[in-house]
Amino acid sequence: MKLSSKNLEVALNKTYDVIVAGGGAGGLSAAIYLARYGLSCLVVEKGKGRSFWMQDLRNYLGLAPTTPGRDLLQQGLEHALSLGVDYLRGFVEEARDEGDLFAVKVKVGKANSLYPIFHSKYLIAATGIIDHLPQLPDMQNVYDYAGYSLHVCLICDGYEMRDQKAVLIVNSESQINTAFVLNWFTPYISVLTHGLCSVGPAMREKLAEHGYPLYEAPIRRFCGENHQLSGVELEDGTHIEATTGLVAMGSRYHNAYLKGIPDLNWQGENLLTDEWCRTSHPRLFALGDLKQGLNQVSIAVADGTLAATAIWREIRRAAPPRKWVERLGSPA
Amino acid sequence: MKLSSKNLEVALNKTYDVIVAGGGAGGLSAAIYLARYGLSCLVVEKGKGRSFWMQDLRNYLGLAPTTPGRDLLQQGLEHALSLGVDYLRGFVEEARDEGDLFAVKVKVGKANSLYPIFHSKYLIAATGIIDHLPQLPDMQNVYDYAGYSLHVCLICDGYEMRDQKAVLIVNSESQINTAFVLNWFTPYISVLTHGLCSVGPAMREKLAEHGYPLYEAPIRRFCGENHQLSGVELEDGTHIEATTGLVAMGSRYHNAYLKGIPDLNWQGENLLTDEWCRTSHPRLFALGDLKQGLNQVSIAVADGTLAATAIWREIRRAAPPRKWVERLGSPA
């Protein structure tokens, strides 16, 4: 059932088996499995996550390669709702472990916000990441190309960039190393720092050895039309010809609500998990981009399967067996 | 490109980066990723695998829960072919490790069969399993219900069986334990051995304690209409009322072609793999139902992602870097 500020009561008086923080590919897959295991769950989704921005989901089995990420999410949401999953648009502010239960505080509504607290036995953290994009005074100019011909994922979109002139946009010297993976797909790489970092002599030499020019002035604007990049103009007036680009500026991790849970195993901003996506906290699971591993829709979907199944097994094994009561005592 | 007995030559003179044995969910996902990494691959598919028989794929994110498995496979095949994957209908008879390459012998065509041998650097084993079904003189009577109201996977279809009268059909005493998992979904379980195994006193007592009757006569026929089960008739004339059923008779593993490869780590008929689906042989990967783990479409699809990515990383790292040649020597 879709929840909103108007009908929260029913959810406040309930202990869910699982709260799923994040309604992207991983969270929705988990919700579908949980519901089919007969477990109750609440999905809290802030909206506009990483898969929402994918213009074409080019490598997910079963969907045409022109399917936008938002279609996957919409289909998954309908699927989950048809199975009785509760779904709330909101932002998870804090998860607190209260012993047997998690208390999850959610911000609902941008104006006159409510801050309800929901309770569950298990928590699935599937809030993912969002890629940093170069900040320009006119962000619409960035959005006109990002997800179309300006990519953020080499694994997803290296194929789309093959043998084209490409800009690689970084915000640290170490991210420049992405050039030496991107060159599997294309050797025509111009590296742009957008004025955000300095570059040492060893890296300069390595770039020169590969023939990859380095541009250190800030970007003024992306050029092209109909989402198709034709080049990049820098603040110093330089124009760089490029029909595609890769942004390698790192990501923001949506994990602040977990920082109060003690003794979690972090690797940087990623959670470390076992083969069932279980964190070091026995009732907390992490999926998809939030956990260590490949940031791919297919991986997140499988992670949802794994976490839901592990939780079901545990709840089922702790439950009393269901007997065929009217048969008991009669000869079998 | 679709290959057949008429155009095999082109493939025989080639060394593929990867041969994918099995064109189910795992194999097609691997092929799509491999092609997008710019690697060459040949998928060999015998047809009519486990996912082909799924009437409804009820738990795969992005597809409506009424999507048949064959639609997923058809979409995946079109997707792979559009990326330049080679695809051959045939049966993998033998895989031999020749040092740097695998030699993979395929039977093509049922009559006047050809036995071409293809070569690749890597081999992905994605040939899966097929569930044993009860054998009746009239197998059409079994096929009328199998995949509709007579299920083979508790994780996929327990939800469809909830609180219904169910038959559990087994071929060994240990499979009877499935009843004590199935009872999470329904307690109205009749256990049928189809005359295939004997049952000891401890198991009889446990079944009686749960109120689950045990029927040991062979099945004569499944009753119902339009794929909807209404009951099962036994050879001794007993009629058992049931609107659903679960077949737990184990599976046949399509892995004979791998048995000549030395030192693989088997657990029963499953291959043990690392977190990238790599077996103990460094150039052999195993996906989906063939490897240890959950037998779910979502898992197989992610396995394809992982294996293809691991192979790409290895091939890429061993390749010479691509330089922007016309830039070399000019000031960066």
Side-chain angles (χ1 to χ4, degrees), chain B residues 307-327:
Chain B
T309 303
I311 291 169
W312 171 57
R313 284 187 175 167
E314 216 159 78
I315 291 179
R316 172 172 58 74
R317 285 172 183 167
R322 292 178 72 197
K323 300 180 176 185
W324 192 344
V325 180
E326 72 239 49
R327 281 266 173 188

Side-chain angles (χ1 to χ4, degrees), chain A residues 202-278:
Chain A
M203 182 60 85
R204 286 176 190 277
E205 194 178 332
K206 190 168 179 187
L207 286 173
E209 272 170 16
H210 284 76
Y212 306 157
L214 173 68
Y215 299 92
E216 299 180 77
I219 295 165
R220 182 181 293 153
R221 64 186 194 94
F222 293 94
C223 311
E225 53 184 351
N226 294 326
H227 310 300
Q228 175 52 60
L229 203 64
S230 62
V232 180
E233 192 179 304
L234 303 186
E235 284 293 354
D236 66 6
T238 310
H239 180 85
I240 304 157
E241 210 184 304
T243 52
T244 188
L246 180 69
V247 179
M249 300 177 67
S251 314
R252 191 156 75 85
Y253 284 73
H254 296 301
N255 59 13
Y257 62 102
L258 296 170
K259 293 298 174 77
I261 294 180
D263 303 325
L264 289 180
N265 271 348
W266 296 94
Q267 179 150 59
E269 296 293 303
N270 283 121
L271 278 161
L272 294 182
T273 60
D274 70 7
E275 74 269 32
W276 293 95
C277 298
R278 194 190 300 255

